[in-house]
Amino acid sequence: MHVTGTVPPPAPAPQETPAAPAGPTTTGDPDRHARRFGLPVATALVMGNIIGGGIFLLPASVAPYGTISLLAFGVLTVGAIALALVFGRLAERDPRTGGPYVYAREAFGDFAGFLAAWAYWITTWVSNAALAVAAVGYLDVLVPVTDHRWTACLAALVLQWLPALANFAGTRYVGAVQLVSTVLKFVPLLLVAVGGLFFFDPDNLGPFHAGGGSAIGAVSASAAILLFSYLGVESAAVSAGEVENPRRTVGRATVIGTAGAALVYLLGTLSVFGTVAHDRLVDSTAPFSDAVNAMFGGAWGGWAVALAALVSMTGCLNGWTLLSAQTPYAAAKDGLFPAVFARRRRGVPTAGVGVTVVLASLLTVYNYVSGPAKVFEVLILVTTFTATVPYLLATAAQLFHLVSGHHERVDRARLVRDAVIASIAAGFSLWLVAGAGYAAVYQGVLFLFAGVLVHAVMAAHKKRRQAPADGR
């Protein structure tokens, strides 16, 4: 097993029929429900996964720091776009399904690839549970469900399983749901982000630096709140095997999707700051609702924003459910994950989707049984940390290819620019680790160490299978 150095470049996976199921289907046309993602759907996947439900609470979350928090948005956006560019460059080199896992394994060997796959898998199913529980809060505005614990739990489970069923139906339906949900949620978001500029009142902004301490400390503190909102930039790279012309499309979709999400974040927060008085915004539990009410009067904003948030989270769950199965699928094909994750039907790794949604459902039930919200909040921060593991490994792989100087791997004309971008992406990833906090890093390391034990077992099985071929 190679921990450092390179492994021989893998043979390109067949690109003509990547969505074909691994086994027989019940239909005469096995590809009827599998369809490649074009640029619009790939971009929607990136934007939909980055913009979940957090956008609807972000303005109130960072309001206590003042408008200086907008600087944190700017810094984070630069880092996120740098990471998006790195994923685009890596996808040009190796456009296979798996994203960071594929890049880490090719550059550093099986162990690094496994860590990337393991950490990313944890990120996806814990995030799915978090999104479903948060979505119940918005659902309660439309249909009261939180009065009874088990009613709320059932609602959260339904919100998880509906996207899973769309995934079981095939990539054709996954793409359709993702595109429709992204369009629907952007209507109210753009209404506030763009329309709010026409109702903008500078007197509502409040102080530039509202909190105590240094300005740099305020930027860092508000950035720590915003960090989780940028997870998902890797979405198109992870699903590269299901994307049309991935060498070109993945990079474009990643950059466009990340830039689009950042623009919505920034304009939306700025518009809310300018339409809702600062002293009221600090205590707001529905800042976008308050902004709509301030713009047009009445009290219908709460219903509209709740519906938009529900659509947003459902679409986000749809995309994350697909991603949760793609990385284990790629690792299982290489013998680094259990073989069950390599089962595929209608273009979707159905076994991976099933295992993931079951784990997320168990975690959701545990959340409602345990009661205290702090347990779940720690797990959310853990996902911020675990996501940085594949981010850092992918960025390190890009730096490795640049420094190695292999002519077939490095475009000399882009060397300096790519090195600067990769360095910014590495710094952004490290900032994500710092923003997660000590408790999350501690919990996340325990998850990673558990993965080391799993890797030991899988590596032993892989060696045993290879032994007859080696004559031992």
Side-chain angles (χ1 to χ4, degrees):
M1 173 175 53
H2 301 281
V3 179
T4 59
T6 60
V7 295
Q15 296 299 315
E16 290 79 6
T17 58
T25 63
T26 58
T27 64
D29 181 4
D31 290 329
R32 184 164 61 91
H33 300 283
R35 179 174 295 176
R36 290 287 196 94
F37 298 153
L39 180 60
V41 173
T43 302
L45 186 65
V46 174
M47 295 186 72
N49 285 351
I50 292 177
I51 302 177
I55 178 64
F56 296 96
L57 293 176
L58 281 180
S61 299
V62 297
Y65 300 100
T67 53
I68 195 173
S69 59
L70 296 176
L71 294 179
F73 263 121
V75 175
L76 289 173
T77 298
V78 171
I81 291 179
L83 191 60
L85 289 169
V86 168
F87 281 124
R89 295 288 287 129
L90 289 168
E92 288 180 18
R93 296 187 64 261
D94 196 338
R96 291 180 297 161
T97 292
Y101 157 74
V102 173
Y103 314 143
R105 181 172 180 266
E106 181 189 353
F108 308 119
D110 284 354
F111 184 66
F114 173 83
L115 281 182
W118 179 262
Y120 193 75
W121 183 54
I122 291 171
T123 300
T124 54
W125 62 263
V126 174
S127 294
N128 277 5
L131 281 169
V133 172
V136 170
Y138 290 103
L139 178 63
D140 189 61
V141 177
L142 305 173
V143 180
V145 293
T146 59
D147 292 338
H148 193 278
R149 178 188 302 179
W150 292 112
T151 303
C153 181
L154 179 61
L157 293 176
V158 170
L159 288 170
Q160 288 180 58
W161 279 90
L162 286 178
L165 293 176
N167 275 264
F168 285 134
T171 53
R172 175 181 181 179
Y173 299 98
V174 174
V177 171
Q178 196 65 31
L179 191 59
V180 171
S181 64
T182 300
V183 171
L184 288 178
K185 74 180 175 184
F186 269 92
V187 172
L189 288 177
L190 290 177
L191 174 65
V192 175
V194 178
L197 298 179
F198 294 95
F199 296 86
F200 193 89
D201 185 354
D203 293 335
N204 289 327
L205 291 177
F208 176 71
H209 184 195
S214 67
I216 295 178
V219 171
S220 298
S222 55
I225 297 174
L226 302 170
L227 288 174
F228 183 76
S229 302
Y230 276 90
L231 298 184
V233 297
E234 74 291 340
S235 302
V238 172
S239 297
E242 280 64 59
V243 176
E244 293 178 355
N245 190 15
R247 294 184 189 276
R248 176 179 174 84
T249 303
V250 167
R252 294 172 63 193
T254 302
V255 173
I256 294 172
T258 303
L263 183 63
V264 172
Y265 277 156
L266 187 58
L267 285 180
T269 303
L270 181 62
S271 293
V272 172
F273 275 13
T275 53
V276 181
H278 181 262
D279 57 347
R280 182 182 176 189
L281 181 60
V282 171
D283 298 322
S284 175
T285 57
F288 272 73
S289 295
D290 292 338
V292 171
N293 291 338
M295 290 163 58
F296 303 108
W300 55 273
W303 284 74
V305 172
L307 182 60
L310 198 59
V311 171
S312 175
M313 288 184 170
T314 303
C316 194
L317 279 166
N318 179 66
W320 276 106
T321 299
L322 175 64
L323 297 188
S324 69
Q326 297 287 25
T327 297
Y329 165 78
K333 290 186 66 178
D334 294 327
L336 300 182
F337 255 55
V340 66
F341 287 95
R343 296 178 183 175
R344 195 171 181 175
R345 187 170 182 265
R346 295 178 174 177
V348 174
T350 49
V353 170
V355 171
T356 296
V357 73
V358 167
L359 287 174
S361 298
L362 291 174
L363 183 58
T364 301
V365 173
Y366 171 75
N367 175 68
Y368 282 103
V369 170
S370 62
K374 282 189 175 181
V375 176
F376 208 75
E377 290 174 1
V378 170
L379 289 175
I380 291 303
L381 289 174
V382 168
T383 64
T384 303
F385 168 72
T386 54
T388 62
V389 176
Y391 286 0
L392 277 171
L393 286 171
T395 304
Q398 173 70 344
L399 289 171
F400 169 79
H401 295 314
L402 294 173
V403 176
S404 66
H406 292 179
H407 294 288
E408 72 277 10
R409 295 183 176 181
V410 179
D411 184 344
R412 292 291 183 179
R414 294 184 175 183
L415 179 59
V416 175
R417 186 186 72 179
D418 285 352
V420 171
I421 291 174
S423 298
I424 294 174
F428 173 69
S429 300
L430 290 173
W431 198 9
L432 284 171
V433 175
Y438 291 107
V441 172
Y442 168 75
Q443 298 285 348
V445 168
L446 291 180
F447 273 114
L448 291 181
F449 281 1
V452 172
L453 300 178
V454 175
H455 175 71
V457 175
M458 295 307 303
H461 282 299
K462 184 177 181 180
K463 185 175 182 180
R464 183 183 301 174
R465 289 194 302 268
Q466 292 175 343
D470 296 337
R472 294 191 296 270

